[in-house]
Amino acid sequence: MTAELELATKKLDRNGFLDIDVDPTLDLIAEIERLKKEKNAIILAHYYQESEIQDVADYIGDSLGLSQKAAETEADIIVFAGVHFMAETAKMLSPSKKVLLPDLKAGCSLADSCPPHLFKKFKEKYPDHIVVSYINCTAELKTLTDICCTSTNALAVIESIPKEQPIIFAPDKNLGQYLVKKTGRDMVLWNGACMVHEIFSHERIVKLKARHPNAKFIAHPECEPHILEIADFIGSTTGLLKHTINDPATEFIVATEAGILHQMQKASPHKTFIPAPPNNNCACNDCPHMKRNTMEKLYLCMEYEQPEIILPEWVIEQGVKSIDRMLEISEKAGLGLAK
Ligand code: 13P
Ligand code: SF4
């Protein structure tokens, strides 16, 4: 081990990533491709990653597609270009594989909004309820969950539960309220939210729509109810992407993390995509957690196989049941991998 690597490894917990200087003349794309082959590694990237990372990934998808891919891959190493809860999910589904995350501090405000010790107490107040948790939660929260869901399969998951069975839905109150409205079920909601999807300005979107009368306004269900109310279409990241491909409109105002615009533009180069404006003056609908990953960190984590996701065995054993249940329901509902 070089002195630089030894020092970077010691600082890993504090920094969240291997802070090693990368030669600026290095062809990172070629190096990453080489490491993939040499190590039989697969790169799974969420749509919210920066464009360069999406372009070097073997699979790009939403939370459901990524977990399905993590469950079926034959690679020895899963490199997860996404956030911590996603890499944890991959580890739970493929515990014998090495799962790497370029930056361990790529967290999630939604997952952070539901600390397991507080949720445990909350759950005790509703002993007859079953727990459905959005996959955007910690591995430990999954051990307190009966069925996980993502934005793609949330409706199918709720509809798979008998009508008389009361439900707690955690941690996203906005997705929860959307599901209450769609299904007519009176669910108990945990009060969590995503910092990126709560930033959109109703007033500025209405003004933007007026300036672009032919544009369709599309939104992710993590957005607040007053934003969803004015949407022409609501869907998960994959749902939104497919909609922009299939809908004849040529202009879209998009209320979700701006990273998805890269795939929308690639799939429909003749169409125009406008990020929905946030309620402040900067272009802040980038997720700061997702964007902690960079090409340099991706290269370093593949080269040195650090930082790695390690989970206690009991967390994997107890938590994976809720993810397996979700995957079964998705398969029955025909909700498969996005391409
Ligand atoms: P989906 O990937 O299910 O669309 O969720 C979006 C998200 O916020 C992921 O962090
Ligand atoms: Fe979490 Fe929101 Fe970022 Fe997704 S976009 S990782 S839900 S903070």
Side-chain angles (χ1 to χ4, degrees):
M1 202 190 270
T2 63
E4 195 184 11
L5 176 59
E6 202 172 341
L7 188 63
T9 308
K10 275 189 193 142
K11 286 188 190 165
L12 193 57
D13 284 350
R14 184 158 23 100
N15 292 336
F17 58 95
L18 282 178
D19 193 4
I20 296 176
D21 285 339
V22 176
D23 175 356
T25 64
L26 207 62
D27 180 346
L28 288 178
I29 299 173
E31 285 300 306
I32 289 169
E33 291 298 344
R34 173 185 65 79
L35 289 164
K36 272 199 238 177
K37 284 197 198 89
E38 270 178 30
K39 303 194 178 208
N40 188 25
I42 186 172
I43 301 179
L44 306 182
H46 192 272
Y47 287 125
Y48 297 167
Q49 290 295 287
E50 63 176 57
S51 331
E52 266 189 297
I53 294 182
Q54 293 189 34
D55 291 344
V56 83
D58 298 288
Y59 176 79
I60 314 156
D62 68 358
S63 308
L64 176 62
L66 290 164
S67 42
Q68 288 169 323
K69 200 75 189 169
E72 65 161 46
T73 182
E74 279 171 13
D76 295 318
I77 299 180
I78 298 174
V79 186
F80 216 109
V83 291
H84 201 273
F85 77 81
M86 296 177 173
E88 280 183 339
T89 303
K91 182 70 187 172
M92 289 157 100
L93 287 165
S94 291
S96 62
K97 296 191 193 301
K98 189 175 261 189
V99 177
L100 304 173
L101 181 66
D103 188 327
L104 281 180
K105 288 197 176 159
C108 169
S109 65
L110 196 41
D112 291 347
S113 70
C114 194
H117 69 287
L118 296 182
F119 184 75
K120 199 163 181 236
K121 286 203 180 112
F122 178 80
K123 184 180 157 167
E124 278 162 13
K125 289 197 276 179
Y126 305 97
D128 300 335
H129 289 52
I130 75 163
V131 176
V132 176
S133 294
Y134 195 30
I135 202 161
N136 303 34
C137 63
T138 61
E140 202 181 328
L141 203 89
K142 291 181 175 80
T143 68
L144 301 168
T145 295
D146 297 292
I147 318 175
C148 272
C149 73
T150 74
S151 51
T152 291
N153 59 26
L155 206 56
V157 166
I158 299 299
E159 282 172 349
S160 75
I161 301 167
K163 287 218 158 39
E164 58 286 1
Q165 171 63 58
I167 301 171
I168 297 175
F169 187 83
D172 189 0
K173 64 174 181 207
N174 293 325
L175 177 61
Q177 279 176 54
Y178 170 72
L179 293 167
V180 166
K181 205 170 156 195
K182 284 291 266 189
T183 61
R185 304 278 288 252
D186 182 21
M187 302 192 289
V188 175
L189 305 181
W190 179 265
N191 187 19
C194 158
M195 61 190 284
V196 180
H197 288 89
E198 284 218 313
I199 206 159
F200 298 109
S201 158
H202 184 274
E203 194 189 328
R204 291 180 72 195
I205 292 169
V206 170
K207 282 188 187 156
L208 191 64
K209 271 165 73 100
R211 287 206 303 277
H212 298 266
N214 296 324
K216 293 275 178 71
F217 174 55
I218 59 174
H220 194 282
E222 285 175 30
C223 295
E224 292 172 290
H226 66 287
I227 301 290
L228 296 180
E229 250 168 45
I230 55 169
D232 298 303
F233 178 78
I234 299 167
S236 64
T237 10
T238 300
L240 295 177
L241 174 61
K242 283 187 184 159
H243 184 75
T244 60
I245 296 169
N246 299 329
D247 193 275
T250 54
E251 212 177 357
F252 295 89
I253 299 168
V254 185
T256 190
E257 214 272 358
I260 185 68
L261 268 63
H262 181 57
Q263 293 303 323
M264 288 178 173
Q265 199 68 75
K266 261 179 131 173
S268 307
H270 58 294
K271 298 190 181 183
T272 304
F273 300 98
I274 309 167
N279 54 17
N280 54 28
N281 285 327
C282 61
C284 292
N285 40 355
D286 271 337
C287 172
H289 307 291
M290 287 277 181
K291 297 302 194 298
R292 281 186 71 95
N293 295 325
T294 61
M295 285 291 277
E296 284 78 10
K297 289 180 191 171
L298 181 62
Y299 159 72
L300 286 170
C301 92
M302 291 179 76
E303 173 73 18
Y304 299 109
E305 300 184 19
Q306 291 185 64
E308 184 184 354
I309 299 290
I310 308 282
L311 287 172
E313 242 170 73
W314 74 269
V315 169
I316 296 181
E317 268 167 32
Q318 290 180 34
V320 78
K321 292 179 202 155
S322 62
I323 309 170
D324 284 340
R325 190 80 196 91
M326 172 191 87
L327 294 177
E328 278 162 33
I329 295 167
S330 304
E331 206 179 320
K332 269 196 203 141
L335 299 166
L337 282 172
K339 292 288 171 269

